[in-house]
Amino acid sequence: MRTVQIVLITLVALLHFYFLILEMFLWTTPRALKAFGLSIEFAKQTVVLAANQGLYNGFLAAGLVWSLVNKNFPDQIAIFFLSCVIIAGIYGAYSTKKIKLFYIQGVPAVLALITILFT
């Protein structure tokens, strides 16, 4: 079960690192425009906000990586950061009215959290 837990936490961390790249560096590219359903005009107007949002996703990814390499309190660290990801996914889906956002961001974190809580 520990292997599944590590794989899921790694997946969530990689997703958030990918979000960081999209939001901080690729916000006005066709890939990000398609991923987030944005117009180029809106993307250009919000590039600074997106970069800030990307930075927060990077912090979430870093926290999850920290939980994987920390020998003292890995489960507690992972629970905290996975909970943050889940809350962000819930709020993102609610605020954008796009439930797909929760499936992409929240469900992997929920599965990872379940593996921690029930092992």
Side-chain angles (χ1 to χ4, degrees):
M1 189 59 118
R2 179 73 178 150
T3 302
V4 173
Q5 182 180 351
I6 291 169
V7 167
L8 288 170
I9 292 171
T10 302
L11 172 65
V12 176
L14 289 173
L15 279 171
H16 281 79
F17 183 69
Y18 178 64
F19 300 154
L20 172 145
I21 292 169
L22 281 177
E23 294 167 347
M24 291 189 80
F25 306 111
L26 303 176
W27 188 246
T28 57
T29 66
R31 173 178 276 173
L33 297 176
K34 182 179 177 187
F36 295 105
L38 305 173
S39 69
I40 187 66
E41 295 81 21
F42 182 79
K44 287 179 180 179
Q45 293 171 350
T46 59
V47 71
V48 174
L49 293 172
N52 190 43
Q53 184 171 298
L55 186 61
Y56 287 106
N57 277 307
F59 291 143
L60 292 173
L64 291 168
V65 170
W66 180 34
S67 78
L68 293 172
V69 299
N70 186 290
K71 301 295 184 220
N72 295 321
F73 304 102
D75 287 350
Q76 292 86 342
I77 296 167
I79 288 168
F80 173 77
F81 283 98
L82 290 169
S83 298
C84 291
V85 168
I86 293 165
I87 292 166
I90 291 168
Y91 182 76
Y94 168 77
S95 63
T96 64
K97 308 296 187 233
K98 294 180 182 178
I99 192 69
K100 180 181 174 184
L101 190 150
F102 180 74
Y103 291 123
I104 293 169
Q105 183 176 16
V107 169
V110 168
L111 294 175
L113 184 60
I114 288 170
T115 65
I116 295 169
L117 296 176
F118 292 103
T119 55

